[in-house]
Amino acid sequence: MKFDGDLLVDPSEYHYIVGALQYVTITHFDIMYSVNQLCQHIQAPTSTHWTSTNRVLRYLKHIVDFGLHCKSSIVALHAFCDVDWASKPDDRRSSSGYDIYFGQCLVSWSSKKQHVVSRSNTEAAYWSLALTTAKVYWIYMLLRELHIYLPSPLTL
């Protein structure tokens, strides 16, 4: 509840920890709801919110060894993208999609209409490739932050 407990005298540590927990939600979707609730009280956190924050931290401490393990001997990023250039006459926007694999595990995918109207199949393919490349680079940098270095160049 919003007003349960006493207001924290110095909420800076609460702000720091909740901000760090927001970053952790990238890899731990199971705490997303709890962190969202903690973020809603960032302006005036109370002792009850601090207790809830510590509960989330204790939960993370106990699940540190849990996770999905890729058994592939080759660990690399592979991305595939495709485009359907203005196939419907009433809608001139192209549809594009991509799949990104880390080893044999699908880690990201998308399929949607492009935001721009392309004049040719080549331009539509360029937009799709640019979107895929940006996402692959983001995943590549995330892996580097997690100290996972890829042995080979990226493949698209």
Side-chain angles (χ1 to χ4, degrees), residues 92-96 112-118 127 131:
R92 303 185 75 170
R93 291 188 301 162
S94 304
S95 298
S96 64
K112 62 182 180 178
K113 287 194 176 281
Q114 291 183 350
H115 297 288
V116 295
V117 175
S118 301
W127 283 109
L131 177 69

Side-chain angles (χ1 to χ4, degrees), residues 40-55:
Q40 290 182 14
H41 305 288
I42 201 93
Q43 294 298 325
T46 65
S47 58
T48 305
H49 302 128
W50 181 249
T51 303
S52 299
T53 303
N54 286 329
R55 196 171 289 155

Side-chain angles (χ1 to χ4, degrees), residues 94-107:
S94 304
S95 298
S96 64
Y98 65 82
D99 297 334
I100 301 173
Y101 290 86
F102 180 60
Q104 295 178 337
C105 303
L106 179 67
V107 292

Side-chain angles (χ1 to χ4, degrees), residues 122-155:
T122 304
E123 185 180 358
Y126 171 79
W127 283 109
S128 178
L129 185 61
L131 177 69
T132 306
T133 303
K135 186 59 97 169
V136 166
Y137 185 71
W138 184 88
I139 293 171
Y140 176 76
M141 294 308 290
L142 176 65
L143 290 172
R144 286 191 61 151
E145 284 186 35
L146 297 172
H147 302 289
I148 299 172
Y149 299 100
L150 302 177
S152 63
L154 302 176
T155 59

